[in-house]
Amino acid sequence: MRLVDNTCWLMRSSADGGTEYVCFRGSDEPVEMLEGFHLPPQMPLIKRRRWMNRSEALSCRHRLEFSEGFRHGRALF
């Protein structure tokens, strides 16, 4: 997995105007994955946090991009 500044953000818009996000962080194993929701001006909500190996993180990222409609974006916060 190629990470810029050791971080990769994936996002998709929700019906209420918020943004669902997934953030992969880490240059070495394990890779941290954060899943959450953000509706400004509220604080971002982290729904789930987990750690995985790089190959699992890459597989998860591909699934999110190709099956669940997430797109790369800049950090939300």
Side-chain angles (χ1 to χ4, degrees):
M1 174 186 292
R2 181 85 177 137
L3 300 174
V4 178
D5 296 327
N6 302 321
T7 304
C8 175
W9 286 84
L10 300 177
M11 294 170 244
R12 70 178 175 190
S13 297
S14 63
D16 63 2
T19 302
E20 293 180 80
Y21 68 86
V22 178
C23 176
F24 294 93
R25 294 194 293 204
S27 58
D28 296 319
E29 290 191 28
V31 175
E32 179 184 27
M33 183 180 90
L34 299 169
E35 294 178 74
F37 180 78
H38 186 48
L39 180 61
Q42 300 171 359
M43 293 292 291
L45 170 68
I46 295 175
K47 296 181 184 178
R48 184 166 54 162
R49 171 182 274 154
R50 62 184 276 213
W51 287 263
M52 57 185 71
N53 63 44
R54 293 183 79 66
S55 63
E56 187 180 10
L58 182 59
S59 176
C60 182
R61 191 185 95 195
H62 283 242
R63 179 183 50 80
L64 290 167
E65 289 175 311
F66 298 111
S67 299
E68 298 187 28
F70 281 83
R71 300 288 174 242
H72 285 270
R74 288 200 245 180
L76 289 175
F77 45 88

